[in-house]
Amino acid sequence: EDAAVALGDAITAYGTSMTDQVLVVLRRDLPCAKSQPAMTQEEYKRRQNDIDSHTDSQLYSCGSLAPKLRKGGAGRIGCGDCQVTRPKAPWEATDGCVYLIRELCVRLCTAGGANGTGTMVLTDDILLPIMEELVDVCRVRHFPQSDDLRTTLWKQLPVIANALGKQRFKRIYLQLFLELLMKNLDGSRPGGSTSQLSVHAAGQCAGELGNLVGNSIFRGRLEEDWQGQVFDRVMEERRQRMQRLPSGPVKEDGFSPFGPSGVMMPTSPMGGRLNASGGSRIGVASSGGATGSQFVTPGTSPVDVL
């Protein structure tokens, strides 16, 4: 993601020449997830839990080996400047391209784009084939991290849609993603193999896109009955979760993080000293005299406020 942001900054600084170079990289790396070696979820878990593959291997700990791994000399020591690295996996290249598409749309499709003139530089003739390839490559399911790839897509798609604008996204691009989005949400049923992170991101994406184009319009674009049922179920679940959220620091069951309401506490440690009769003054309200202890409701003393 940081690399995509850096390339976006370069586009803003250098204009069309940099845009053309970034598009070449994007078109080259976007389909890479299709070449990811196949692996089932069971194989992936077995590999991760294989004792032999993790025995007698080099151990790495954040910072502890930094002096041995440093490459920048004194003053440049740490896990951010070490020689421990590996080539990126093919699916990771595609994952990075999702962020790059976001940067292109945000910087070249919104008012006051890369050149500050408000002119749309990224036309549909350029963007539409890229988005079609994006949908196609995100359908892959032959490796365990494919759910992570779709999670990235669903998190970035609302940003892309807002950058393109309601009318443009609804007219040209919305229909491209609906089938894949609904299949991802349908995988949340019992027995489904879709990761919960991917399902949650897909639900949030559907809600935000529905808010952008209108829930009735969004649902009307769903071509199959099962897709409409999935959308209705997800929206109802989101509505119920929102209703269960607390509206303030005091929860519905009356619990407060500041303690029970109405309990009187001394304003200082000395406020709980014994009185002349030997009884503690904690919990005894002052009668208002000048010599009486002062009590405050928990959470409102200067110490609590700080």
Side-chain angles (χ1 to χ4, degrees):
E1 181 178 6
D2 291 339
V5 173
L7 288 175
D9 291 339
I11 289 174
T12 302
Y14 298 106
T16 304
S17 61
M18 179 57 68
T19 303
D20 294 338
Q21 297 180 56
V22 170
L23 287 174
V24 170
V25 174
L26 177 62
R27 294 188 179 105
R28 181 196 68 198
D29 289 349
L30 184 58
C32 284
K34 296 179 181 179
S35 61
Q36 178 75 20
M39 179 182 293
T40 65
Q41 187 68 34
E42 291 73 19
E43 292 173 338
Y44 179 73
K45 290 182 179 180
R46 186 165 56 250
R47 180 178 178 181
Q48 294 298 101
N49 296 324
D50 185 12
I51 296 178
D52 293 336
S53 63
H54 299 289
T55 302
D56 295 330
S57 300
Q58 177 66 59
L59 300 179
Y60 296 103
S61 160
C62 182
S64 64
L65 297 178
K68 298 180 181 179
L69 301 175
R70 66 185 181 187
K71 62 181 179 181
R76 298 188 62 188
I77 299 175
C79 47
D81 185 45
C82 66
Q83 296 176 343
V84 180
T85 184
R86 63 168 177 81
K88 65 176 178 289
W91 79 269
E92 292 173 333
T94 300
D95 190 81
C97 287
V98 179
Y99 293 106
L100 189 54
I101 293 173
R102 180 200 67 188
E103 291 298 313
L104 288 171
C105 292
V106 168
R107 296 172 187 269
L108 302 181
C109 297
T110 56
N115 53 15
T117 62
T119 303
M120 184 183 66
V121 179
L122 195 63
T123 64
D124 293 324
D125 292 337
I126 297 174
L127 184 59
L128 183 57
I130 293 175
M131 299 292 261
E132 290 174 340
E133 179 65 34
L134 174 62
V135 175
D136 186 55
V137 72
C138 286
R139 297 182 192 276
V140 296
R141 295 180 179 273
H142 64 276
F143 56 93
Q145 299 90 343
S146 60
D147 277 339
D148 298 333
L149 177 60
R150 282 182 287 275
T151 299
T152 300
L153 172 62
W154 304 137
K155 287 183 177 180
Q156 303 310 316
L157 187 58
V159 182
I160 295 172
N162 280 280
L164 294 176
K166 173 182 176 180
Q167 296 300 327
R168 184 183 179 189
F169 180 78
K170 179 176 65 174
R171 185 178 71 254
I172 303 175
Y173 299 99
L174 174 61
Q175 202 67 35
L176 295 175
F177 297 93
L178 289 181
E179 181 184 0
L180 181 60
L181 181 61
M182 291 301 109
K183 283 186 177 180
N184 203 151
L185 288 172
D186 195 38
S188 64
R189 296 179 302 177
S193 59
T194 308
S195 72
Q196 289 303 305
L197 286 176
S198 179
V199 171
H200 179 72
Q204 284 191 319
C205 179
E208 293 184 37
L209 294 182
N211 290 336
L212 176 65
V213 304
N215 284 323
S216 59
I217 295 176
F218 186 94
R219 196 186 187 288
R221 293 290 187 91
L222 301 176
E223 298 176 348
E224 304 289 340
D225 291 340
W226 69 267
Q227 295 177 348
Q229 295 171 3
V230 169
F231 179 73
D232 293 340
R233 173 175 56 82
V234 171
M235 292 300 102
E236 178 63 21
E237 291 174 354
R238 287 174 57 83
R239 185 186 66 82
Q240 292 178 1
R241 284 198 300 268
M242 293 299 294
Q243 289 180 344
R244 290 195 298 266
L245 292 177
S247 58
V250 180
K251 298 183 179 180
E252 294 179 0
D253 58 1
F255 172 79
S256 170
F258 302 116
S261 59
V263 175
M264 310 303 289
M265 297 293 290
T267 57
S268 68
M270 292 302 294
R273 63 186 182 274
L274 296 179
N275 57 25
S277 60
S280 174
R281 303 176 70 173
I282 296 179
V284 180
S286 170
S287 60
T291 60
S293 299
Q294 297 179 354
F295 299 92
V296 296
T297 302
T300 60
S301 70
V303 174
D304 291 328
V305 172
L306 292 175

